Amino acid sequence: MKITFFIVLIAGVWSALGGWVARPAATTPNVVLFFIDDLGYGDLSCNGASGYTTPNLDQMATEGIRFTSFLAAQAVCSASRAALLTGCYPNRVGMFGALGPNSPIGLNPDEETIAELLKEKGYATGIFGKWHLGSQAKFLPQQQGFDDYYGVPYSHDMWPLHPNQAQAHYPPLYLIEGSAPTQEVKTLEDASQLTSSITERAVGFIRKHKKEPFFLYVPHPLPHVPLAASRRFRGKSAIGLLGDVMMELDWSVGQIMQELKQQGLDKNTIVIFTSDNGPWLNYGDHAGSAGGFREGKGTSFEGGHRVPCLIRWPGVVPAGRVCNKLLTTLEILPTVAKLCGTRLPKKSIDGVDMVALLKGDETVTPRDHFFYYYRKNSLEAVRKGDWKLVFAHPGRTYEGFLPGKGGQPGPSTEEHEFPTALYDLRRDPGERYDVREQNPKIVAVLEKLAEEARADLGDDLQKRAGKNGRPAGRVGN
């Protein structure tokens, strides 16, 4: 009896004092990153969408953290994607706008992407969906750190069925497998298979790499127009095709989450869900919702920049939290790098890691301010906390124009003259009331920040060149 007690005692002491030393190190976490095209802040039911529900995303919000003041780095496709993958303001790396087919520029291969950093760490890397960072061979995903690629090289409205094809002259649109064109996307019926085929490839990637760390990037092309849902989802929502598309995207997220659980990877995978910019509002019933924020895609108002963001990692990210702090897609690269134990890019970046905040420390404020650049290099606004100073600039507005219907765009203008204005986003998230006269000290602080940005990156509105911009990649260089 005494011998048995002694053995039990020794085992208990070993476990309490030193046994932990012999335990294997925690497995390197996998990363799944969803980046949805033209998804507005109000397009998830956990953010107030009506006429359909997004139960898988709502569950992700319940099991992780939901951000309410999370911004895309720029309110347009290519620029936003460059920022996500490099952690840099897109104008820092020479990227702007939405690159067309056969554009001579693309993301410079000298820039280091999330995929390259994780690949260096031993990760398998895959992208299934829309690339839009250059369709020339030297700019495609397999030259930017991804092992596997399947999807469309740019927006799927850049095809012969575009409403303005007579002026645009878009070539045929092909799916890319690896670095080679495969099937042509000729019709809306072909486009209706994009969400399901991308989901199938993503699930297959998880199965193939379940025994090694992986980075899975899923930039779904929809709900960017033209909208198309598979037969399985057509007519399922109460608001028409947009709702059907959203239900299918939610299904896609559910399929990938389910596969993680089936493979026993659920608790060791960071899942991030966000969007590249706000909704393209002049498409009317084929456009999403900015959730009450002003304007939409292609503007520096909150409707263009503020997007849904959900992050889930069971046991690491406390469940059921809502974060109202200013954060952006620039933070994804440094945060993932820190969580996965890899280095940062050798060149300077603009993102800041938010690991402590994710893990539950509500006292930290990772991001202090943000610069709203648009067009090629125009500083249209600056934000610090809840204060946002918009500078006088010409730009897009959807207001005062009747939106389109049935997939056809309504009119808008790119040359509306917006005046300088200060907005308190805590009290006025719709950016309607200019309070500059009441807050001159706040204006001075924001003006000083803007001057720092102009010295660093330049400002086309003031015809100023910055000191630290880097060139995009270019064919022939």
Side-chain angles (χ1 to χ4, degrees):
M1 186 70 176
K2 290 182 179 180
I3 294 174
T4 302
F5 174 77
F6 180 75
I7 292 172
V8 171
L9 178 64
I10 291 297
V13 171
W14 169 251
S15 176
L17 298 180
W20 62 271
V21 177
R23 282 187 243 155
T27 306
T28 305
N30 307 304
V31 181
V32 176
L33 173 58
F34 293 97
F35 202 53
I36 313 301
D37 202 343
D38 287 5
L39 181 80
Y41 183 86
D43 287 335
L44 309 186
S45 47
C46 61
N47 279 357
S50 60
Y52 61 89
T53 58
T54 53
N56 293 298
L57 288 162
D58 295 352
Q59 182 176 351
M60 184 178 167
T62 300
E63 295 174 349
I65 182 170
R66 178 171 66 90
F67 297 88
T68 66
S69 196
F70 192 89
L71 306 181
Q74 198 170 122
V76 65
C77 296
S78 297
S80 180
R81 291 158 201 277
L84 175 80
L85 292 183
T86 66
C88 297
Y89 282 111
N91 46 319
R92 186 177 299 285
V93 295
M95 297 293 287
F96 57 91
L99 300 179
N102 303 316
S103 170
I105 71 168
L107 181 62
N108 197 320
D110 290 341
E111 300 294 340
E112 294 180 290
T113 67
I114 301 176
E116 288 172 301
L117 299 177
L118 293 178
K119 190 175 175 65
E120 187 179 278
K121 187 72 175 177
Y123 277 67
T125 56
I127 167 178
F128 305 96
K130 172 181 168 180
W131 175 238
H132 215 172
L133 289 173
S135 57
Q136 303 292 332
K138 68 179 289 185
F139 304 128
L140 289 174
Q142 290 186 316
Q143 283 67 57
Q144 304 280 9
F146 289 96
D147 299 320
D148 298 318
Y149 172 47
Y150 170 84
V152 289
Y154 37 77
S155 298
H156 68 288
D157 69 331
M158 295 178 175
W159 64 337
L161 298 182
H162 192 281
N164 294 323
Q165 174 63 358
Q167 291 77 37
H169 304 295
Y170 287 128
L173 172 65
Y174 287 91
L175 289 163
I176 305 292
E177 180 93 42
S179 293
T182 56
Q183 176 186 349
E184 182 180 354
V185 184
K186 293 182 178 181
T187 66
L188 283 173
E189 188 60 37
D190 293 338
S192 75
Q193 303 307 308
L194 287 173
T195 298
S196 58
S197 63
I198 287 165
T199 304
E200 181 181 343
R201 296 300 183 102
V203 167
F205 180 84
I206 293 171
R207 292 173 182 168
K208 180 180 178 181
H209 298 288
K210 61 186 178 182
K211 294 186 178 179
E212 59 184 321
F214 60 78
F215 170 49
L216 171 59
Y217 177 40
V218 188
H220 273 298
L222 293 153
H224 191 296
V225 292
L227 296 184
S230 68
R231 294 178 183 178
R232 178 179 178 182
F233 285 91
R234 287 175 208 164
K236 295 296 184 181
S237 80
I239 64 166
L241 190 53
L242 175 69
D244 303 342
V245 168
M246 286 304 307
M247 291 176 69
E248 187 162 19
L249 287 167
D250 181 75
W251 164 85
S252 173
V253 172
Q255 291 295 296
I256 291 169
M257 299 292 282
Q258 180 179 326
E259 188 63 31
L260 291 172
K261 292 177 181 178
Q262 289 180 347
Q263 299 297 342
L265 303 172
D266 179 57
K267 294 183 179 179
N268 194 46
T269 302
I270 309 158
V271 182
I272 304 168
F273 178 95
T274 189
S275 170
D276 68 339
N277 48 246
W280 206 347
L281 293 177
N282 60 319
Y283 275 86
D285 61 341
H286 280 212
S289 166
F293 296 111
R294 184 174 177 180
E295 299 285 2
K297 172 180 178 173
T299 79
S300 292
F301 292 97
E302 293 301 288
H305 275 262
R306 200 177 299 208
V307 291
C309 182
L310 312 172
I311 299 181
R312 177 187 183 274
W313 188 8
V316 178
V317 175
R321 293 164 59 215
V322 175
C323 177
N324 301 318
K325 296 185 179 185
L326 169 63
L327 291 160
T328 76
T329 49
L330 298 170
E331 276 66 87
I332 300 297
L333 182 146
T335 300
V336 167
K338 187 168 185 177
L339 289 171
C340 297
T342 190
R343 65 177 178 84
L344 292 176
K346 295 173 184 175
K347 297 180 180 180
S348 64
I349 66 172
D350 299 293
V352 293
D353 89 71
M354 53 181 184
V355 172
L357 181 64
L358 281 184
K359 291 184 176 181
D361 186 352
E362 299 288 350
T363 66
V364 299
T365 302
R367 173 162 293 280
D368 177 72
H369 59 271
F370 176 75
F371 301 116
Y372 297 73
Y373 274 93
Y374 194 60
R375 301 206 172 186
K376 186 174 182 180
N377 197 39
S378 295
L379 181 60
E380 295 185 351
V382 59
R383 178 175 167 185
K384 180 178 174 65
D386 287 323
W387 293 102
K388 181 176 178 181
L389 181 62
V390 175
F391 300 108
H393 68 277
R396 176 182 298 181
T397 186
Y398 301 99
E399 296 183 359
F401 296 96
L402 190 66
K405 191 173 183 180
Q408 294 298 310
S412 63
T413 179
E414 299 291 328
E415 301 301 328
H416 181 77
E417 292 293 337
F418 291 103
T420 300
L422 177 70
Y423 300 110
D424 178 358
L425 297 178
R426 183 184 69 83
R427 300 176 63 193
D428 178 25
E431 299 172 276
R432 296 297 176 185
Y433 303 99
D434 177 12
V435 292
R436 277 181 302 157
E437 292 185 5
Q438 297 169 309
N439 299 280
K441 292 182 179 179
I442 298 295
V443 171
V445 169
L446 293 172
E447 287 278 15
K448 183 178 179 182
L449 284 173
E451 280 300 301
E452 293 173 4
R454 291 172 183 131
D456 182 22
L457 293 172
D459 182 5
D460 287 352
L461 292 174
Q462 296 194 359
K463 297 181 173 58
R464 291 170 59 178
K467 298 177 181 178
N468 298 309
R470 305 195 288 261
R474 184 169 290 276
V475 174
N477 292 348

